[in-house]
Amino acid sequence: METARLTPDQLDTQASLLHDTQAWQQIVTGWERSAPEPGLPAPGLSHAAPSLPPADWRDLLSVPVDELIDESLRAMPVAPPRERRLPGRLGAVLPERLHAWRRIGQPDVRPSTHLGYARQILTEWGWQNTPYRLRNARGARCVCGAMLTAHRLGYGSLDTVDRAGAWLITELRSQGWTGLIGPWNRQPGRTASDALALLDATIRRASLAGH
């Protein structure tokens, strides 16, 4: 059975390496390209001349039907998986390895869905910014710690965790932050509201890209 042995800083590093690959840059920039604009009418044609009805309704479209469907699906919010409640406050302070059994039989999820569960962990169990700690004594997690805990609870594979981290870094770059997730989380003056807002923005970005 797959188990997570990463620390928050190791996850941070892996996500950064993925973010910097050419393949990832194609993912995060390709989906934002809009469909080509319809061509202008040829010069000299009379605008008053009646046009013949198209032989098929698809002739009215300026882009292929498959492309329109693909764009519509990417724009739709990700359907939430079957809801599973987090363990209670005792679960927040238990050693991470004791949650590993919860992964048994669980399907993989999209990075945006994984980040949604990480957000739920921060909301219900708390956020913390102690340097180099996955969690504090009360069970509160840092952003990367929440992602690793979500994996332990069965929400996404390790590959999904890496891709979710790369989306987080993508969002941070769009906000002007050039470092990793951990230093952002530990920045003096950072708040739990900041962490939740970052996750919300990242979830939306990944969802719109179909991830």
Side-chain angles (χ1 to χ4, degrees):
M1 182 179 63
E2 181 188 47
T3 57
R5 301 183 183 278
L6 296 175
T7 67
D9 289 301
Q10 287 170 337
L11 166 61
D12 213 349
T13 300
Q14 288 187 184
S16 178
L17 292 174
L18 175 59
H19 172 271
D20 292 339
T21 62
Q22 182 178 0
W24 185 261
Q25 292 307 310
Q26 291 175 348
I27 289 174
V28 299
T29 58
W31 69 272
E32 293 178 329
R33 291 196 296 268
S34 59
E37 295 183 0
L40 296 175
L45 291 180
S46 171
H47 294 288
S51 58
L52 294 176
D56 190 279
W57 64 269
R58 294 173 180 81
D59 295 336
L60 295 171
L61 303 176
S62 59
V63 294
V65 176
D66 290 344
E67 185 175 334
L68 286 174
I69 293 174
D70 186 54
E71 288 186 2
S72 298
L73 289 175
R74 287 203 307 267
M76 292 175 63
V78 177
R82 181 175 57 86
E83 184 175 357
R84 294 166 53 209
R85 296 182 59 184
L86 294 181
R89 289 301 309 169
L90 177 60
V93 298
L94 286 175
E96 295 293 305
R97 65 180 182 276
L98 297 184
H99 292 302
W101 66 270
R102 299 178 183 275
R103 292 200 49 75
I104 299 174
Q106 295 301 325
D108 202 0
V109 298
R110 293 183 178 186
S112 55
T113 302
H114 170 83
L115 289 168
Y117 282 111
R119 187 192 194 284
Q120 185 179 358
I121 289 168
L122 293 184
T123 301
E124 296 187 19
W125 291 357
W127 170 84
Q128 61 91 23
N129 61 352
T130 304
Y132 310 110
R133 294 287 301 276
L134 182 149
R135 66 182 191 181
N136 62 18
R138 296 180 292 104
R141 266 70 170 172
C142 63
V143 171
C144 286
M147 293 166 63
L148 291 175
T149 298
H151 164 74
R152 281 289 191 181
L153 294 174
Y155 307 123
S157 64
L158 287 176
D159 178 65
T160 297
V161 177
D162 282 344
R163 289 185 289 131
W167 277 113
L168 270 172
I169 292 177
T170 301
E171 178 60 33
L172 287 174
R173 295 292 182 272
S174 75
Q175 297 181 14
W177 181 264
T178 59
L180 299 180
I181 304 167
W184 181 92
N185 190 85
R186 299 190 290 266
Q187 181 81 354
R190 193 72 67 203
T191 66
S193 295
D194 294 336
L196 295 179
L198 173 64
L199 286 172
D200 287 339
T202 307
I203 290 168
R204 181 178 184 277
R205 180 182 291 269
S207 296
L208 289 175
H211 288 220

